[in-house]
Amino acid sequence: MACRKRCIDDKFAEAILAGVDSIVILGAGLDTRGYQPMVPSGVRVFEVDLPENIADKRKRIPETGTVTLVPVDSDTEDLSR
């Protein structure tokens, strides 16, 4: 598990250093990468997860100007909209 987290953290940091200005985290759960100091202003992070998970996260962690919580049930909704 630690190796998986490290790999994701490395890819996240690489994307930011490469100049990516938007990052989408699918199945974000209670992930907090978008709230970390390594995310510079101007980089938008979209955290996509099931509506019930997003509702729970909204109770725990307020949205910021850089993180947008997106409730989507991929079984019944189309993410491309």
Side-chain angles (χ1 to χ4, degrees):
M1 187 59 94
C3 183
R4 178 178 168 266
K5 286 185 58 110
R6 175 62 191 263
C7 179
I8 293 168
D9 287 342
D10 289 349
K11 294 298 180 186
F12 196 89
E14 286 173 22
I16 290 170
L17 289 173
V20 169
D21 62 0
S22 295
I23 297 174
V24 177
I25 302 173
L26 299 174
L30 292 176
D31 188 289
T32 59
R33 278 179 192 86
Y35 299 90
Q36 300 301 318
M38 72 172 157
V39 180
S41 65
V43 174
R44 295 288 314 237
V45 178
F46 297 89
E47 296 188 351
V48 180
D49 208 332
L50 292 168
E52 56 270 22
N53 293 345
I54 293 294
D56 184 51
K57 191 166 192 174
R58 280 191 173 120
K59 290 179 196 171
R60 297 170 185 257
I61 305 171
E63 290 186 60
T64 68
T66 59
V67 177
T68 302
L69 302 176
V70 183
V72 173
D73 182 344
S74 60
D75 286 339
T76 59
E77 298 177 86
D78 184 1
L79 183 59
S80 66
R81 296 187 274 133

